[in-house]
Amino acid sequence: MTNSKATNSKTSTEATTMTTTNLTTREKVELSLARRRAAETRFRLYGMVSVFFGMLCLVVLFTDIASKGTSVFKQTSLTTEITLDSGYLGINKDSSIEDIRFANFEGLIKRHFAKSVKPKGRKAKRELFKLISPGAAWQLQELVLANPTAIDSTVTIELLMDDDVDQWFKHDFGNDVVDNGRLSEQQLAWLMTWIEEGQLDSHFNTLFFTNGDSREPELAGIHGAIKGTLLTLMVTLILSFPIGVAAAIYLEEFAPRNRITEIVEININNLAAVPSIIFGLLGMAIFINIFGVARSTPLLGGLVLTLMTLPTIIISARAAIKAVPPSIREAAYGLGASKNQVVFHHVLPLAMPGMLTGTILGMAQALGETAPLLMIGMVAFVVDVPGFINDPSTVLPVQIFLWSDSPERAFLERTSGAILVLLSFLVVMNTTAVILRRRLERRW
Amino acid sequence: MKKLLALSAALAASAISMSANAQRDYISVVGSSTVYPFSTVVAERFGKSTKFATPKVESTGSGGGLKLFCSGVGSATPDITNASRAIKSSEINLCAKNGVKDIIEITVGYDGIVLANTTAAKQISLTRREIFLALGKNIPNPDGSETLVDNPYKMWNEINPTLPATKIEVLGPPPTSGTRDAFAELALEGGCKAFPFIKAIKKQDKKKYKAICHGVREDGAYVEAGENDNLIVQKLVANPSALGVFGYSFLEQNSDKVQGSIIDGKLPTFDAIAEGDYPVSRSLYFYVKKAHIGVIPGIEEYLAEFTSEKAMGEYGYLAEKGMIPMTDEERTKVLSTVKNLTTLAKK
């Protein structure tokens, strides 16, 4: 059976060869021209469709994040005059910092509103107090800490409102919605009076940029995360750039070509493809368990991210060195330069732009990394803004992850807001890389 | 270049040795992601109202937290671990092996696990038996014989004609989650036990019993929606016929979008969980390393803040965040534990 089939196909191929061989080359080309053009058009079409699809995804993502996140830059507050009654607070202008910290500012605010709004009954009082953020008491506390002489005077202050009020004012107020979030009729009535009197309004949200993390959405900010990110990246840069460049120079210029360097090369390329979580595990095993570096610190995060970015930097640095034409090396040798002089006076300066580009891209990659940090305790609630590389801290992508998992709805916009900030960081870094390449790159 | 290299090496070495030798001056808390929203609130208030640094709180999961907690004594190990279940005897032994002998157990309060759907749909009333029949992997044969079959139900009204004629579709956390463990233990096992022949298996083969009662079907009716409960809420709003499984605090925060289903005739309300009427609720704990008290500054004050009336009390700020407070009687017990620093007896 198989035999007969084979002969069949053979005869048919012969038949086609017969017909084509009768044509001239020109005729053959003309015959296939339409088909080849169609193939090209199709391919272009596929390319355009895929580019368009990619752009569409990007646009949808950006508009979604931006539409959710831009409201974070506004914060609702209530302008009011409040008397810092020394009798109630139990402190005076000579009190110690500890006493001021312990003073009951929350009670003072509650008393103030109980007097001015006059709610009826315990339930109404609780509803009223819920409108004010717990951060309002800390605002007063900070004010007194900064200026103890303010005690016993009447101050005008923009008190922070609770996240529920904030969300309602920013999204639902004036929109004719039936659904009023988590606010009751009575609470809305109070809010409407405040709005009519011009006390309740939204302002630019500076707290978002000056505060560390908080469990109260209206107080949560990204300063701590940004500082942590910068410290972590600083450690990464200081360690990975010199090590990476030195390794690349040695491998490219000095190392003999043998089995060992080949194995090293293959391993570096492999490392670049290792999932980042593995670097986290490695970091945990080496830096925490053997060297005893403190958990959750930018130092530790930087060390782990160094492991991760090193292969990227080495590979790009080697490519940059390779791109320096041999004529330059030969000319330097010809003038009597030593190997060291050739490398450091001639090759390295010419390869530097390429190395820097690679380093910036490696840093951008490190900036967006969360997985290795999971293992080393940087996924943590840290309120205090880190001062140096051995303070507990978190980083921007981790902050985004933590907020996205919080029950309070107002954290949704914080999440999107933080994503916007992270994206702008990435855009700045990548643009710098492109500009550097354009400006400094030499063509031979 | 060489100078730069030497400089960075020196800097790295000094930084590592500096941080290794430094005594930690802030409290380090690890553990359950369920207790995390509560302990972070306490940590923040504690940091703002005292001279101590704000404690660092990590969300590692109950098991992960206890593992870190039991890894030894000293400033490199955490001082406190949160847990959404009680410590196991194996974990106490692990602790003891690594020198962590004195552990203080503090009950924080309760957490309810709810089944919820969007407010746009009708509220559903279920029994734990029906939940098990809808979500169990192997369930008793619908024909009444005492055998187990792969779950055949596709629609809710196949289980009970009074239930709506919609597809069984439940979004919930993956097996790595403590919420899922608790849901399996309280809701599924609760319904599973209602079948006498399965209950009889428990005496003969505990492992098999657990596999039957904790097994969740994998044919698409139960959708693992990740650990992010906000995402589940969003998906419920988009899909009116789906139900979701998450903690009470998320229901409380999103009460205008989703409603809790009635389980065994009880609505998941604050009061029903506090009274212990709502069947799917569990206790939350944290564990303190006694050896660290007095070494790491502020631990005692942190405990005092956590167990104070304004935090843990009936109208405390933790209750506002969705934690179900204990009764006064239980709280008195906890207060005496904190006062005397009573350690856990060996189990």
Side-chain angles (χ1 to χ4, degrees), chain A residues 98 101 126 141 182 214-215 295-296 377 380-381 384 390 392 404-409, chain B residues 26 37 40 44 47-48 50-51 54 56-58 228 230 250 252-254 256 315 321:
Chain A
E98 268 170 54
R101 276 174 179 268
R126 278 176 59 77
Q141 189 194 63
R182 288 154 37 85
S214 170
R215 282 290 295 132
R295 277 174 76 84
S296 321
F381 176 72
D384 301 335
N390 49 1
S404 76
D405 209 17
S406 301
E408 289 83 2
R409 202 177 310 150
Chain B
Y26 54 88
T40 45
E44 188 178 0
K48 290 255 163 66
T50 61
K51 61 179 179 179
T54 311
K56 178 194 80 183
V57 187
E58 281 178 53
N228 189 327
N230 271 328
F250 280 82
E252 152 116 49
Q253 288 290 335
N254 294 287
D256 57 328
Y315 298 106
K321 285 282 172 194

mmCIF file of all heavy atoms in Angstrom, chain A residues 98 101 126 141 182 214-215 295-296 377 380-381 384 390 392 404-409, chain B residues 26 37 40 44 47-48 50-51 54 56-58 228 230 250 252-254 256 315 321:
data_model
loop_
_atom_site.group_PDB
_atom_site.id
_atom_site.type_symbol
_atom_site.label_atom_id
_atom_site.label_comp_id
_atom_site.label_asym_id
_atom_site.label_seq_id
_atom_site.Cartn_x
_atom_site.Cartn_y
_atom_site.Cartn_z
ATOM 1 N N GLU A 98 7.331 63.431 75.925
ATOM 2 C CA GLU A 98 6.551 62.229 76.237
ATOM 3 C C GLU A 98 5.155 62.580 76.720
ATOM 4 O O GLU A 98 4.177 61.927 76.345
ATOM 5 C CB GLU A 98 7.262 61.415 77.318
ATOM 6 C CG GLU A 98 8.184 60.382 76.747
ATOM 7 C CD GLU A 98 9.049 59.764 77.812
ATOM 8 O OE1 GLU A 98 8.483 59.271 78.793
ATOM 9 O OE2 GLU A 98 10.275 59.815 77.659
ATOM 10 N N ARG A 101 3.078 63.633 73.829
ATOM 11 C CA ARG A 101 2.679 62.475 73.027
ATOM 12 C C ARG A 101 1.520 61.728 73.661
ATOM 13 O O ARG A 101 0.682 61.151 72.989
ATOM 14 C CB ARG A 101 3.852 61.509 72.866
ATOM 15 C CG ARG A 101 4.772 61.868 71.737
ATOM 16 C CD ARG A 101 5.973 60.952 71.755
ATOM 17 N NE ARG A 101 6.865 61.255 70.663
ATOM 18 C CZ ARG A 101 6.801 60.663 69.470
ATOM 19 N NH1 ARG A 101 5.920 59.739 69.252
ATOM 20 N NH2 ARG A 101 7.637 60.995 68.528
ATOM 21 N N ARG A 126 -21.144 58.748 68.260
ATOM 22 C CA ARG A 126 -20.202 57.818 67.621
ATOM 23 C C ARG A 126 -20.153 58.044 66.113
ATOM 24 O O ARG A 126 -19.082 58.028 65.507
ATOM 25 C CB ARG A 126 -20.618 56.371 67.897
ATOM 26 C CG ARG A 126 -20.163 55.854 69.240
ATOM 27 C CD ARG A 126 -20.700 54.454 69.496
ATOM 28 N NE ARG A 126 -20.281 53.480 68.492
ATOM 29 C CZ ARG A 126 -19.085 52.929 68.447
ATOM 30 N NH1 ARG A 126 -18.170 53.252 69.337
ATOM 31 N NH2 ARG A 126 -18.785 52.049 67.522
ATOM 32 N N GLN A 141 -1.234 66.972 67.678
ATOM 33 C CA GLN A 141 -0.064 66.567 68.450
ATOM 34 C C GLN A 141 1.215 67.121 67.819
ATOM 35 O O GLN A 141 2.062 67.695 68.506
ATOM 36 C CB GLN A 141 -0.007 65.039 68.494
ATOM 37 C CG GLN A 141 1.020 64.483 69.429
ATOM 38 C CD GLN A 141 1.236 63.003 69.146
ATOM 39 O OE1 GLN A 141 1.680 62.624 68.069
ATOM 40 N NE2 GLN A 141 0.914 62.165 70.118
ATOM 41 N N ARG A 182 -20.655 54.201 52.826
ATOM 42 C CA ARG A 182 -20.901 53.687 54.161
ATOM 43 C C ARG A 182 -21.416 54.779 55.097
ATOM 44 O O ARG A 182 -21.375 54.639 56.303
ATOM 45 C CB ARG A 182 -19.608 53.084 54.712
ATOM 46 C CG ARG A 182 -19.245 51.771 54.033
ATOM 47 C CD ARG A 182 -17.771 51.471 54.049
ATOM 48 N NE ARG A 182 -17.081 51.859 55.263
ATOM 49 C CZ ARG A 182 -17.001 51.133 56.367
ATOM 50 N NH1 ARG A 182 -17.581 49.978 56.412
ATOM 51 N NH2 ARG A 182 -16.332 51.551 57.403
ATOM 52 N N SER A 214 0.580 53.789 56.621
ATOM 53 C CA SER A 214 -0.346 53.902 57.735
ATOM 54 C C SER A 214 -1.498 52.948 57.485
ATOM 55 O O SER A 214 -1.752 52.546 56.360
ATOM 56 C CB SER A 214 -0.869 55.324 57.850
ATOM 57 O OG SER A 214 -1.931 55.354 58.773
ATOM 58 N N ARG A 215 -2.204 52.595 58.560
ATOM 59 C CA ARG A 215 -3.381 51.761 58.377
ATOM 60 C C ARG A 215 -4.606 52.617 58.116
ATOM 61 O O ARG A 215 -5.665 52.104 57.814
ATOM 62 C CB ARG A 215 -3.590 50.873 59.612
ATOM 63 C CG ARG A 215 -2.660 49.694 59.651
ATOM 64 C CD ARG A 215 -2.983 48.663 58.589
ATOM 65 N NE ARG A 215 -4.281 48.076 58.833
ATOM 66 C CZ ARG A 215 -5.209 47.929 57.917
ATOM 67 N NH1 ARG A 215 -4.983 48.302 56.687
ATOM 68 N NH2 ARG A 215 -6.358 47.397 58.219
ATOM 69 N N ARG A 295 16.996 41.604 59.121
ATOM 70 C CA ARG A 295 15.895 41.462 58.168
ATOM 71 C C ARG A 295 15.295 42.819 57.831
ATOM 72 O O ARG A 295 15.431 43.761 58.599
ATOM 73 C CB ARG A 295 14.782 40.617 58.813
ATOM 74 C CG ARG A 295 14.972 39.133 58.735
ATOM 75 C CD ARG A 295 13.881 38.457 59.535
ATOM 76 N NE ARG A 295 12.607 38.467 58.835
ATOM 77 C CZ ARG A 295 12.255 37.564 57.919
ATOM 78 N NH1 ARG A 295 13.074 36.609 57.614
ATOM 79 N NH2 ARG A 295 11.089 37.632 57.337
ATOM 80 N N SER A 296 14.614 42.864 56.714
ATOM 81 C CA SER A 296 13.799 44.022 56.321
ATOM 82 C C SER A 296 14.571 45.322 56.134
ATOM 83 O O SER A 296 13.987 46.391 56.190
ATOM 84 C CB SER A 296 12.677 44.314 57.331
ATOM 85 O OG SER A 296 12.117 43.152 57.804
ATOM 86 N N GLY A 377 11.888 39.619 54.282
ATOM 87 C CA GLY A 377 11.162 40.424 55.261
ATOM 88 C C GLY A 377 10.949 41.870 54.882
ATOM 89 O O GLY A 377 10.675 42.693 55.743
ATOM 90 N N ALA A 380 6.669 44.367 54.688
ATOM 91 C CA ALA A 380 6.376 44.647 56.087
ATOM 92 C C ALA A 380 5.672 45.982 56.221
ATOM 93 O O ALA A 380 5.770 46.837 55.351
ATOM 94 C CB ALA A 380 7.666 44.668 56.894
ATOM 95 N N PHE A 381 4.969 46.122 57.331
ATOM 96 C CA PHE A 381 4.309 47.384 57.640
ATOM 97 C C PHE A 381 5.311 48.256 58.378
ATOM 98 O O PHE A 381 5.687 47.966 59.508
ATOM 99 C CB PHE A 381 3.093 47.103 58.516
ATOM 100 C CG PHE A 381 2.387 48.346 58.967
ATOM 101 C CD1 PHE A 381 1.648 49.103 58.079
ATOM 102 C CD2 PHE A 381 2.450 48.744 60.282
ATOM 103 C CE1 PHE A 381 0.990 50.235 58.505
ATOM 104 C CE2 PHE A 381 1.786 49.880 60.721
ATOM 105 C CZ PHE A 381 1.053 50.622 59.831
ATOM 106 N N ASP A 384 7.634 54.338 60.244
ATOM 107 C CA ASP A 384 8.691 55.343 60.308
ATOM 108 C C ASP A 384 9.484 55.353 59.005
ATOM 109 O O ASP A 384 9.855 54.307 58.489
ATOM 110 C CB ASP A 384 9.628 55.030 61.481
ATOM 111 C CG ASP A 384 8.869 55.014 62.792
ATOM 112 O OD1 ASP A 384 7.824 55.677 62.855
ATOM 113 O OD2 ASP A 384 9.295 54.327 63.733
ATOM 114 N N ASN A 390 20.280 50.681 57.484
ATOM 115 C CA ASN A 390 20.012 49.584 58.428
ATOM 116 C C ASN A 390 18.730 49.798 59.219
ATOM 117 O O ASN A 390 18.534 49.183 60.255
ATOM 118 C CB ASN A 390 21.205 49.363 59.357
ATOM 119 C CG ASN A 390 21.683 50.660 59.949
ATOM 120 O OD1 ASN A 390 21.114 51.715 59.669
ATOM 121 N ND2 ASN A 390 22.696 50.602 60.765
ATOM 122 N N PRO A 392 14.537 49.428 59.320
ATOM 123 C CA PRO A 392 13.560 48.606 58.599
ATOM 124 C C PRO A 392 12.853 49.464 57.562
ATOM 125 O O PRO A 392 12.536 50.626 57.833
ATOM 126 C CB PRO A 392 12.580 48.168 59.681
ATOM 127 C CG PRO A 392 12.743 49.152 60.772
ATOM 128 C CD PRO A 392 14.168 49.603 60.731
ATOM 129 N N SER A 404 -2.800 46.959 48.000
ATOM 130 C CA SER A 404 -3.833 46.328 47.183
ATOM 131 C C SER A 404 -4.561 45.250 47.976
ATOM 132 O O SER A 404 -5.638 44.830 47.614
ATOM 133 C CB SER A 404 -3.222 45.723 45.922
ATOM 134 O OG SER A 404 -2.557 44.525 46.249
ATOM 135 N N ASP A 405 -3.964 44.832 49.079
ATOM 136 C CA ASP A 405 -4.543 43.746 49.863
ATOM 137 C C ASP A 405 -5.269 44.261 51.100
ATOM 138 O O ASP A 405 -5.718 43.476 51.927
ATOM 139 C CB ASP A 405 -3.420 42.783 50.275
ATOM 140 C CG ASP A 405 -3.926 41.374 50.444
ATOM 141 O OD1 ASP A 405 -5.026 41.085 49.946
ATOM 142 O OD2 ASP A 405 -3.230 40.573 51.088
ATOM 143 N N SER A 406 -5.377 45.582 51.246
ATOM 144 C CA SER A 406 -6.005 46.120 52.457
ATOM 145 C C SER A 406 -7.512 46.208 52.295
ATOM 146 O O SER A 406 -8.000 46.495 51.208
ATOM 147 C CB SER A 406 -5.463 47.515 52.745
ATOM 148 O OG SER A 406 -4.085 47.438 52.909
ATOM 149 N N PRO A 407 -8.255 45.969 53.376
ATOM 150 C CA PRO A 407 -9.713 45.966 53.237
ATOM 151 C C PRO A 407 -10.321 47.334 52.939
ATOM 152 O O PRO A 407 -11.326 47.411 52.244
ATOM 153 C CB PRO A 407 -10.212 45.436 54.581
ATOM 154 C CG PRO A 407 -9.071 45.500 55.518
ATOM 155 C CD PRO A 407 -7.827 45.519 54.700
ATOM 156 N N GLU A 408 -9.747 48.413 53.457
ATOM 157 C CA GLU A 408 -10.369 49.717 53.272
ATOM 158 C C GLU A 408 -10.362 50.099 51.797
ATOM 159 O O GLU A 408 -9.335 50.010 51.137
ATOM 160 C CB GLU A 408 -9.634 50.805 54.074
ATOM 161 C CG GLU A 408 -9.824 50.710 55.558
ATOM 162 C CD GLU A 408 -8.882 49.709 56.187
ATOM 163 O OE1 GLU A 408 -8.066 49.134 55.451
ATOM 164 O OE2 GLU A 408 -8.982 49.487 57.405
ATOM 165 N N ARG A 409 -11.520 50.561 51.320
ATOM 166 C CA ARG A 409 -11.632 50.793 49.895
ATOM 167 C C ARG A 409 -10.746 51.946 49.432
ATOM 168 O O ARG A 409 -10.309 51.987 48.294
ATOM 169 C CB ARG A 409 -13.078 51.042 49.506
ATOM 170 C CG ARG A 409 -13.296 50.751 48.058
ATOM 171 C CD ARG A 409 -14.724 50.924 47.680
ATOM 172 N NE ARG A 409 -15.603 50.212 48.581
ATOM 173 C CZ ARG A 409 -16.830 50.616 48.841
ATOM 174 N NH1 ARG A 409 -17.302 51.692 48.302
ATOM 175 N NH2 ARG A 409 -17.590 49.915 49.651
ATOM 176 N N TYR B 26 13.534 48.399 67.772
ATOM 177 C CA TYR B 26 12.104 48.399 67.465
ATOM 178 C C TYR B 26 11.602 46.965 67.592
ATOM 179 O O TYR B 26 12.379 46.021 67.462
ATOM 180 C CB TYR B 26 11.860 48.928 66.046
ATOM 181 C CG TYR B 26 12.654 48.212 64.985
ATOM 182 C CD1 TYR B 26 12.155 47.061 64.374
ATOM 183 C CD2 TYR B 26 13.931 48.646 64.615
ATOM 184 C CE1 TYR B 26 12.893 46.383 63.422
ATOM 185 C CE2 TYR B 26 14.666 47.972 63.665
ATOM 186 C CZ TYR B 26 14.146 46.841 63.073
ATOM 187 O OH TYR B 26 14.878 46.164 62.136
ATOM 188 N N PRO B 37 -3.936 43.233 59.606
ATOM 189 C CA PRO B 37 -4.591 44.548 59.628
ATOM 190 C C PRO B 37 -4.820 45.076 61.041
ATOM 191 O O PRO B 37 -4.861 46.285 61.239
ATOM 192 C CB PRO B 37 -5.928 44.305 58.929
ATOM 193 C CG PRO B 37 -5.942 42.924 58.453
ATOM 194 C CD PRO B 37 -4.728 42.218 58.901
ATOM 195 N N THR B 40 -1.185 45.946 62.796
ATOM 196 C CA THR B 40 -0.568 47.142 62.242
ATOM 197 C C THR B 40 -1.216 48.410 62.810
ATOM 198 O O THR B 40 -0.537 49.400 63.051
ATOM 199 C CB THR B 40 -0.696 47.166 60.710
ATOM 200 O OG1 THR B 40 -2.018 46.798 60.358
ATOM 201 C CG2 THR B 40 0.288 46.233 60.062
ATOM 202 N N GLU B 44 0.898 51.173 64.786
ATOM 203 C CA GLU B 44 0.955 52.568 64.384
ATOM 204 C C GLU B 44 0.593 53.498 65.545
ATOM 205 O O GLU B 44 1.295 54.467 65.823
ATOM 206 C CB GLU B 44 -0.003 52.793 63.215
ATOM 207 C CG GLU B 44 0.151 54.162 62.616
ATOM 208 C CD GLU B 44 -0.779 54.367 61.427
ATOM 209 O OE1 GLU B 44 -1.530 53.451 61.086
ATOM 210 O OE2 GLU B 44 -0.737 55.459 60.854
ATOM 211 N N GLY B 47 3.309 53.540 68.112
ATOM 212 C CA GLY B 47 4.445 54.364 67.708
ATOM 213 C C GLY B 47 4.174 55.848 67.861
ATOM 214 O O GLY B 47 5.059 56.623 68.193
ATOM 215 N N LYS B 48 2.897 56.245 67.613
ATOM 216 C CA LYS B 48 2.575 57.672 67.643
ATOM 217 C C LYS B 48 2.413 58.188 69.066
ATOM 218 O O LYS B 48 2.629 59.364 69.323
ATOM 219 C CB LYS B 48 1.275 57.919 66.857
ATOM 220 C CG LYS B 48 1.448 57.733 65.355
ATOM 221 C CD LYS B 48 1.482 59.062 64.638
ATOM 222 C CE LYS B 48 2.050 58.962 63.243
ATOM 223 N NZ LYS B 48 1.254 58.188 62.315
ATOM 224 N N THR B 50 3.792 56.838 72.011
ATOM 225 C CA THR B 50 4.832 56.558 73.000
ATOM 226 C C THR B 50 6.183 57.008 72.448
ATOM 227 O O THR B 50 6.302 57.394 71.298
ATOM 228 C CB THR B 50 4.948 55.053 73.305
ATOM 229 O OG1 THR B 50 5.303 54.386 72.103
ATOM 230 C CG2 THR B 50 3.664 54.493 73.851
ATOM 231 N N LYS B 51 7.199 56.888 73.332
ATOM 232 C CA LYS B 51 8.535 57.298 72.880
ATOM 233 C C LYS B 51 9.217 56.195 72.060
ATOM 234 O O LYS B 51 10.287 56.397 71.503
ATOM 235 C CB LYS B 51 9.400 57.626 74.097
ATOM 236 C CG LYS B 51 9.570 56.437 75.010
ATOM 237 C CD LYS B 51 10.436 56.720 76.197
ATOM 238 C CE LYS B 51 10.493 55.461 77.043
ATOM 239 N NZ LYS B 51 11.274 55.510 78.208
ATOM 240 N N THR B 54 8.064 52.754 66.037
ATOM 241 C CA THR B 54 6.913 51.982 65.579
ATOM 242 C C THR B 54 7.348 50.559 65.256
ATOM 243 O O THR B 54 8.316 50.373 64.524
ATOM 244 C CB THR B 54 6.312 52.623 64.320
ATOM 245 O OG1 THR B 54 6.140 54.009 64.566
ATOM 246 C CG2 THR B 54 4.987 52.008 63.971
ATOM 247 N N LYS B 56 7.750 46.957 63.545
ATOM 248 C CA LYS B 56 7.699 46.541 62.154
ATOM 249 C C LYS B 56 6.834 45.290 62.086
ATOM 250 O O LYS B 56 7.060 44.353 62.843
ATOM 251 C CB LYS B 56 9.112 46.231 61.688
ATOM 252 C CG LYS B 56 9.202 45.728 60.273
ATOM 253 C CD LYS B 56 10.570 45.136 60.007
ATOM 254 C CE LYS B 56 10.656 43.737 60.570
ATOM 255 N NZ LYS B 56 11.950 43.105 60.429
ATOM 256 N N VAL B 57 5.830 45.299 61.234
ATOM 257 C CA VAL B 57 4.930 44.151 61.150
ATOM 258 C C VAL B 57 5.056 43.508 59.777
ATOM 259 O O VAL B 57 4.889 44.174 58.768
ATOM 260 C CB VAL B 57 3.464 44.573 61.384
ATOM 261 C CG1 VAL B 57 2.569 43.353 61.469
ATOM 262 C CG2 VAL B 57 3.334 45.411 62.632
ATOM 263 N N GLU B 58 5.373 42.222 59.770
ATOM 264 C CA GLU B 58 5.471 41.494 58.506
ATOM 265 C C GLU B 58 4.305 40.540 58.385
ATOM 266 O O GLU B 58 3.877 39.955 59.363
ATOM 267 C CB GLU B 58 6.757 40.668 58.457
ATOM 268 C CG GLU B 58 7.996 41.448 58.125
ATOM 269 C CD GLU B 58 9.205 40.535 58.145
ATOM 270 O OE1 GLU B 58 9.176 39.504 57.466
ATOM 271 O OE2 GLU B 58 10.161 40.859 58.870
ATOM 272 N N ASN B 228 -5.920 37.924 47.443
ATOM 273 C CA ASN B 228 -6.369 39.307 47.520
ATOM 274 C C ASN B 228 -7.891 39.377 47.624
ATOM 275 O O ASN B 228 -8.607 39.156 46.661
ATOM 276 C CB ASN B 228 -5.881 40.046 46.280
ATOM 277 C CG ASN B 228 -6.114 41.523 46.391
ATOM 278 O OD1 ASN B 228 -7.090 41.964 47.001
ATOM 279 N ND2 ASN B 228 -5.224 42.283 45.822
ATOM 280 N N ASN B 230 -9.785 41.943 48.116
ATOM 281 C CA ASN B 230 -10.387 43.064 47.385
ATOM 282 C C ASN B 230 -10.790 42.642 45.986
ATOM 283 O O ASN B 230 -11.815 43.054 45.464
ATOM 284 C CB ASN B 230 -9.383 44.209 47.260
ATOM 285 C CG ASN B 230 -9.487 45.142 48.433
ATOM 286 O OD1 ASN B 230 -10.562 45.319 48.985
ATOM 287 N ND2 ASN B 230 -8.383 45.726 48.817
ATOM 288 N N PHE B 250 -13.543 42.406 55.531
ATOM 289 C CA PHE B 250 -13.781 42.842 54.160
ATOM 290 C C PHE B 250 -15.274 43.047 53.907
ATOM 291 O O PHE B 250 -15.665 43.928 53.159
ATOM 292 C CB PHE B 250 -13.200 41.840 53.160
ATOM 293 C CG PHE B 250 -11.731 42.009 52.979
ATOM 294 C CD1 PHE B 250 -10.845 41.453 53.874
ATOM 295 C CD2 PHE B 250 -11.235 42.755 51.934
ATOM 296 C CE1 PHE B 250 -9.494 41.631 53.732
ATOM 297 C CE2 PHE B 250 -9.880 42.936 51.777
ATOM 298 C CZ PHE B 250 -9.006 42.375 52.677
ATOM 299 N N GLU B 252 -17.411 44.002 56.199
ATOM 300 C CA GLU B 252 -17.712 45.239 56.914
ATOM 301 C C GLU B 252 -17.316 46.470 56.093
ATOM 302 O O GLU B 252 -18.056 47.433 55.999
ATOM 303 C CB GLU B 252 -16.964 45.193 58.251
ATOM 304 C CG GLU B 252 -16.594 46.529 58.803
ATOM 305 C CD GLU B 252 -17.282 46.814 60.110
ATOM 306 O OE1 GLU B 252 -17.225 45.921 60.958
ATOM 307 O OE2 GLU B 252 -17.850 47.896 60.255
ATOM 308 N N GLN B 253 -16.118 46.400 55.472
ATOM 309 C CA GLN B 253 -15.644 47.543 54.707
ATOM 310 C C GLN B 253 -16.397 47.724 53.391
ATOM 311 O O GLN B 253 -16.378 48.798 52.808
ATOM 312 C CB GLN B 253 -14.149 47.412 54.411
ATOM 313 C CG GLN B 253 -13.255 47.612 55.611
ATOM 314 C CD GLN B 253 -13.243 49.054 56.076
ATOM 315 O OE1 GLN B 253 -13.492 49.974 55.317
ATOM 316 N NE2 GLN B 253 -12.970 49.250 57.354
ATOM 317 N N ASN B 254 -17.008 46.658 52.901
ATOM 318 C CA ASN B 254 -17.668 46.742 51.592
ATOM 319 C C ASN B 254 -19.157 46.436 51.700
ATOM 320 O O ASN B 254 -19.746 45.885 50.783
ATOM 321 C CB ASN B 254 -17.015 45.764 50.608
ATOM 322 C CG ASN B 254 -15.597 46.164 50.296
ATOM 323 O OD1 ASN B 254 -15.363 47.124 49.592
ATOM 324 N ND2 ASN B 254 -14.647 45.442 50.850
ATOM 325 N N ASP B 256 -21.692 48.040 51.377
ATOM 326 C CA ASP B 256 -22.602 48.597 50.379
ATOM 327 C C ASP B 256 -22.525 47.863 49.047
ATOM 328 O O ASP B 256 -23.354 48.059 48.185
ATOM 329 C CB ASP B 256 -22.300 50.086 50.156
ATOM 330 C CG ASP B 256 -20.856 50.296 49.750
ATOM 331 O OD1 ASP B 256 -20.008 49.507 50.205
ATOM 332 O OD2 ASP B 256 -20.577 51.233 48.977
ATOM 333 N N TYR B 315 -15.924 48.823 72.087
ATOM 334 C CA TYR B 315 -16.010 49.952 71.158
ATOM 335 C C TYR B 315 -14.621 50.420 70.727
ATOM 336 O O TYR B 315 -14.423 51.556 70.343
ATOM 337 C CB TYR B 315 -16.777 51.113 71.803
ATOM 338 C CG TYR B 315 -18.187 50.737 72.144
ATOM 339 C CD1 TYR B 315 -18.571 50.512 73.457
ATOM 340 C CD2 TYR B 315 -19.125 50.564 71.129
ATOM 341 C CE1 TYR B 315 -19.866 50.134 73.764
ATOM 342 C CE2 TYR B 315 -20.415 50.180 71.424
ATOM 343 C CZ TYR B 315 -20.785 49.967 72.747
ATOM 344 O OH TYR B 315 -22.064 49.587 73.030
ATOM 345 N N LYS B 321 -12.120 48.345 62.904
ATOM 346 C CA LYS B 321 -11.416 47.796 61.741
ATOM 347 C C LYS B 321 -11.961 46.435 61.347
ATOM 348 O O LYS B 321 -11.441 45.793 60.448
ATOM 349 C CB LYS B 321 -9.918 47.671 62.049
ATOM 350 C CG LYS B 321 -9.206 49.002 62.028
ATOM 351 C CD LYS B 321 -8.939 49.453 60.602
ATOM 352 C CE LYS B 321 -8.402 50.863 60.572
ATOM 353 N NZ LYS B 321 -8.452 51.436 59.235
#
